[in-house]
Amino acid sequence: MPLLEVENLSIDLGDFHLRDVSLSVEENDYLTIIGPTGAGKSVLLEAIAGFYPLLKGRVILEGKDITREPPERRGMSIVYQDYVLFPHMTVFENIAFGLRKKGLVRAEIEREVRHIAEELHIDHLLHRKPGTLSGGEQQRTALARALVVRPRVLLMDEPFSALDSKTREKLRSLVRNVIDEYGTTVLHVTHDFEDVFALAKHVAVMRDGRIVQFGTPEEVFSRPADEFIADFVRTNLLRGEVVGKEGELTAVRVGNVILYTADDAEGKVTLSIRPEDIILAREPGECSAQNVVPVLIESLEKRGHLVWLSLSSEGVPLSAVVTPNAAELLGIKPGEKFYAMFKASALRVIK
Ligand SMILES: Nc1ncnc2c1ncn2[C@@H]1O[C@H](COP(=O)(O)OP(=O)(O)O)[C@@H](O)[C@H]1O
Ligand SMILES: [Mg+2]
């Protein structure tokens, strides 16, 4: 039995509708919810938490229908982007808040607060007021406050968005450890794909109030269900036609080149190749990749800690991604000619 089931959740907010959203989340699952701004990710999370009246649908937790339960009786905690701590209370009091409401005795409160504070490396801050903490420390406090009550489900709405990338990375690894230890099931809304790769077991993609794809990160990022999702997860789409089989591989003509995929297919196909699965080299030389395509570097753009490249292979556009170091070592510049190489197993047939 799944831990959390959401069935046909529908909400009417006037201009915005959540439309028949269904989800099934196993115990200990880590589901990230992605999608463009305004897709309804926050509304979905808050609907699961019980903050919106439903047009229809049900929320079932451990087999029990909780659709009509108020938020505080759902066994869920929610963490937002902007920490929302009580400013006049110490970190200790902030974390202890939910335990006091539950009526735990002093010694238990003390033990539970210290334990989660140690897990999240904020045990040295317990006497401080939130206003004196860094963003990362405040968010760790908010996480501690959410987790200390041992929720059945932890809901997080862009929890790392306000933090710098180094702090985000540190928080991800802390979250992963603490989630494992507490056995918490997580629904995490994010626009940062790093969160997906670092944390998620499953991904739901939302668009216009609907879930348009659900799967593992590998499925969603390598086999997007349609062009909108492919574009959103920044994979390359190539259109071609199957021209034959060579052993285990399927040969596909894309423009003037023949590419090989490990997937089975016939007729006209759409293929996906992830930018990070493309290797660039000056010479086609030694490489286990079955696909070797001459490309022209069109442009470079530094985004975060990586360099995104726009390439073209006889007019077919491709994006690839390299580290700044690799870009410099290889002398990647607009107008230069390279070979793009990728494995047949990385070229996936999506349609
Ligand atoms: N309480 C509300 N009343 C009316 N419209 C709302 C309310 N909350 C959100 N919306 C609208 O619902 C849509 C989805 O919002 P939201 O879930 O916040 O998107 P996101 O995917 O960016 O988190 C937006 O168009 C937003 O303006
Ligand atoms: Mg949102």
Side-chain angles (χ1 to χ4, degrees):
M1 181 179 67
L3 179 80
L4 175 72
E5 282 167 283
V6 173
E7 292 177 3
N8 302 105
L9 213 63
S10 299
I11 291 177
D12 181 354
L13 291 176
D15 289 341
F16 177 79
H17 296 254
L18 202 67
R19 299 164 202 269
D20 278 310
V21 172
S22 296
L23 273 178
S24 175
V25 184
E26 298 291 331
E27 178 143 34
N28 288 324
D29 202 347
Y30 198 113
L31 171 66
T32 48
I33 301 168
I34 61 174
T37 304
K41 305 179 296 296
S42 296
V43 169
L44 172 61
L45 215 62
E46 298 197 324
I48 293 170
F51 297 143
Y52 286 104
L54 305 183
L55 210 55
K56 68 170 176 129
R58 301 199 301 165
V59 181
I60 296 164
L61 186 65
E62 296 176 308
K64 186 169 157 261
D65 189 332
I66 58 160
T67 315
R68 287 179 211 300
E69 294 282 343
E72 65 277 11
R73 291 184 41 194
R74 293 191 172 204
M76 300 184 189
S77 294
I78 188 158
V79 174
Y80 295 96
Q81 174 178 338
D82 42 13
Y83 336 120
V84 282
L85 299 166
F86 304 117
H88 56 288
M89 293 184 189
T90 62
V91 168
F92 183 97
E93 291 303 328
N94 265 282
I95 300 172
F97 187 79
L99 297 175
R100 288 207 202 292
K101 280 215 301 197
K102 273 183 148 183
L104 262 64
V105 302
R106 202 187 157 72
E108 278 173 316
I109 293 177
E110 183 84 25
R111 190 183 62 229
E112 289 296 312
V113 171
R114 294 223 170 264
H115 180 71
I116 189 73
E118 276 164 29
E119 285 291 315
L120 290 168
H121 302 181
I122 47 173
D123 43 321
H124 59 297
L125 303 172
L126 288 171
H127 62 286
R128 301 257 293 266
K129 295 273 175 69
T132 70
L133 306 178
S134 71
E137 290 165 345
Q138 290 188 56
Q139 196 58 311
R140 280 184 273 156
T141 304
L143 263 169
R145 189 179 57 180
L147 281 167
V148 77
V149 294
R150 300 183 183 259
R152 303 300 296 131
V153 180
L154 176 68
L155 305 170
M156 296 201 281
D157 194 352
E158 313 233 5
F160 311 140
S161 293
L163 308 171
D164 62 80
S165 73
K166 210 164 175 177
T167 309
R168 276 206 294 273
E169 216 152 284
K170 186 170 166 204
L171 252 116
R172 278 187 204 110
S173 84
L174 284 174
V175 163
R176 201 170 20 211
N177 294 342
V178 75
I179 292 306
D180 278 352
E181 203 228 294
Y182 277 63
T184 316
T185 305
V186 182
L187 272 64
H188 175 170
V189 168
T190 184
H191 67 259
D192 186 345
F193 295 160
E194 294 288 331
D195 290 339
V196 181
F197 299 132
L199 296 164
K201 291 181 186 162
H202 289 100
V203 188
V205 186
M206 285 192 80
R207 180 189 189 189
D208 295 338
R210 288 194 179 85
I211 290 182
V212 289
Q213 188 169 5
F214 182 94
T216 62
E218 150 74 14
E219 281 162 355
V220 171
F221 281 76
S222 291
R223 293 186 200 269
D226 61 31
E227 291 188 15
F228 171 83
I229 301 167
D231 187 49
F232 186 74
V233 302
R234 296 193 212 115
T235 192
N236 292 294
L237 286 189
L238 301 168
R239 260 163 271 278
E241 190 161 8
V242 174
V243 292
K245 281 289 232 180
E246 284 184 30
E248 296 286 289
L249 305 180
T250 305
V252 184
R253 179 187 300 283
V254 177
N256 291 327
V257 291
I258 302 291
L259 299 179
Y260 296 94
T261 166
D263 292 347
D264 252 332
E266 276 176 35
K268 287 199 177 359
V269 289
T270 303
L271 302 158
S272 151
I273 175 76
R274 298 248 2 122
E276 61 271 26
D277 288 336
I278 295 177
I279 296 165
L280 288 172
R282 286 279 183 187
E283 300 297 331
E286 298 282 302
C287 181
S288 63
Q290 295 89 343
N291 294 299
V292 181
V293 187
V295 292
L296 183 71
I297 310 288
E298 300 274 359
S299 63
L300 286 75
E301 189 195 336
K302 190 147 194 298
R303 266 191 242 157
H305 53 287
L306 292 171
V307 179
W308 284 74
L309 310 175
S310 298
L311 316 172
S312 83
S313 166
E314 309 201 21
V316 179
L318 276 178
S319 343
V321 65
V322 293
T323 61
N325 207 8
E328 202 181 312
L329 275 173
L330 289 166
I332 294 176
K333 285 196 286 288
E336 297 281 316
K337 287 180 178 160
F338 276 84
Y339 288 90
M341 304 192 270
F342 45 95
K343 293 187 171 175
S345 58
L347 184 66
R348 318 301 289 271
V349 173
I350 66 170
K351 247 190 335 235

